[in-house]
Amino acid sequence: MSADLIDGKAIAAALRESIAGAVSSLSASHGVKPALAVVLVGEDPASQVYVRNKGIATEKAGMTSIEHRLPADAAQDDVVALVRSLNADNDVDGILVQLPLPDHINSALVINEIDPSKDVDGLTEVNAGRLMLGKDGLVPCTPQGSVILAKTVRESLSGLHAVVVGRSILVGKPLAMLLLAENCTVTMAHSRTKDLAATCREADIVCAAVGRPRLIKGDWIKEGATVIDVGINRVEEGGKSRLVGDVDFDAAKARAGAITPVPGGVGPMTIACLLKNTVIAAARRRGLPVPEITVK
Ligand code: NAD
């Protein structure tokens, strides 16, 4: 058996097309052009690439992209003051503070300064709480994208056993909440889990969000399971640098029913869901109906 490939690149492109349609309809019916403001502190090269790509994708979807850069030695109060000014700016619909922030800045404090109605990363306490309570809010992008991918290969997730490996605030915990909302039976595994192999073997859906190259072995995957690999790890192999996931892709592919590749799986969905959240924020802040955004 060889698994179907879940083509995150193509699915993200379809989602971005639907988002662009939603932006045009907001603009045509209400004269609204959603705007996303990204705050970058410091010169981290990976963060600079992410911010540039987010800006390009935002403009391509027909929205306004705003970038604010602060030096690496910016004081925490300066970052908070910038976030507060973006909260107060009525032309800004979404605010994203690029992580990681420099060590001298308390990230949790800065994130929690973001107006929850503009928190397009879904990381404020209000949005995390809303997700926990099953209320409408802004949902973290990577977990949201992961569930969309799983739903492209499963008619319904209801009743399936999902194992989420990793319990971070950014990915593992919100992903578990979203799968619970889809009526999965959810197991959260992490670094202290006693027998990770046996836990994964129980799963109809394995979601790996750990940050350890090929931690999940092929024989940990149940025949026909859906594998969503969130991990992005750079490894040096055969004198070359390449990206691999948290799942041993080649071995898992032989047993899984469907699997996401790395790169080209969850990664592209993250930016697409950020754009989706910006449209949702723009509509909700004005009391307008949220235009339909789907993956056809
Ligand atoms: P994190 O370091 O915050 O959390 C890692 C989690 O893995 C922890 O909860 C820890 O308990 C668990 N863990 C660590 N070692 C383990 C082990 N041996 N067995 C089981 N669990 C273990 O990381 P994160 O921010 O959640 O990111 C996880 C991965 O996802 C990273 O590779 C990151 O680069 C990637 N990521 C990808 C995207 C994307 O857009 N595709 C977005 C965010 C993160």
Side-chain angles (χ1 to χ4, degrees):
M1 178 172 178
S2 184
D4 291 335
L5 209 63
I6 305 176
D7 185 348
K9 240 171 132 173
I11 297 163
L15 187 58
R16 287 200 309 270
E17 202 180 310
S18 174
I19 291 161
V23 171
S24 326
S25 94
L26 265 183
S27 156
S29 53
H30 301 283
V32 172
K33 186 178 183 188
L36 171 64
V38 177
V39 175
L40 176 61
V41 184
E43 315 269 310
D44 177 60
S47 293
Q48 288 183 337
V49 173
Y50 291 143
V51 167
R52 193 173 62 238
N53 290 343
K54 284 169 187 171
I56 293 168
T58 305
E59 299 275 352
K60 265 196 180 162
M63 299 190 268
T64 302
S65 165
I66 303 158
E67 257 180 54
H68 288 275
R69 288 171 184 256
L70 293 175
D73 61 356
Q76 179 167 296
D77 286 353
D78 294 338
V79 184
V80 168
L82 175 56
V83 168
R84 287 184 180 162
S85 76
L86 295 170
N87 286 343
D89 185 342
N90 211 28
D91 290 336
V92 170
D93 295 295
I95 303 170
L96 181 143
V97 176
Q98 183 65 43
L99 300 174
L101 288 169
D103 288 345
H104 67 280
I105 294 177
N106 179 338
S107 301
L109 185 147
V110 169
I111 295 295
N112 221 35
E113 281 289 336
I114 298 171
D115 177 340
S117 72
K118 299 186 178 189
D119 168 29
V120 283
D121 245 352
L123 295 177
T124 56
E125 288 173 10
V126 168
N127 281 313
R130 287 187 159 268
L131 181 60
M132 175 91 183
L133 295 172
K135 290 185 166 181
D136 274 349
L138 290 164
V139 174
C141 303
T142 303
Q144 190 184 157
S146 301
V147 172
I148 293 173
L149 292 183
K151 287 171 88 171
T152 63
V153 291
R154 296 273 191 173
E155 216 163 281
S156 163
L157 304 188
S158 182
L160 298 181
H161 184 185
V163 172
V164 178
V165 189
R167 56 175 164 182
S168 71
I169 290 171
L170 193 64
V171 189
K173 278 186 191 169
L175 180 51
M177 285 300 133
L178 288 175
L179 291 164
L180 200 55
E182 294 289 340
N183 298 316
C184 287
T185 300
V186 181
T187 300
M188 293 194 70
H190 46 78
S191 53
R192 307 285 175 91
T193 295
K194 286 230 165 71
D195 189 345
L196 187 59
T199 305
C200 289
R201 284 190 188 110
E202 298 282 315
D204 303 308
I205 304 174
V206 177
C207 299
V210 180
R212 300 255 188 288
R214 303 189 184 107
L215 172 79
I216 313 283
K217 308 300 172 212
D219 67 354
W220 298 10
I221 304 298
K222 184 161 94 176
E223 288 282 346
T226 301
V227 178
I228 306 293
D229 192 350
V230 180
I232 303 176
N233 309 288
R234 187 161 287 286
V235 294
E236 307 297 323
E237 280 174 355
K240 277 192 187 160
S241 168
R242 57 182 297 227
L243 294 179
V244 300
D246 290 343
V247 178
D248 184 349
F249 179 83
D250 291 332
K253 193 173 74 179
R255 293 172 64 90
I259 186 167
T260 59
V262 177
V266 175
M269 295 300 288
T270 298
I271 290 189
C273 289
L274 172 69
L275 304 179
K276 181 180 169 205
N277 279 351
T278 306
V279 175
I280 293 172
R284 284 199 190 134
R285 288 181 58 242
R286 294 170 175 83
L288 300 172
V290 176
E292 197 194 4
I293 297 171
T294 54
V295 180
K296 286 275 159 15

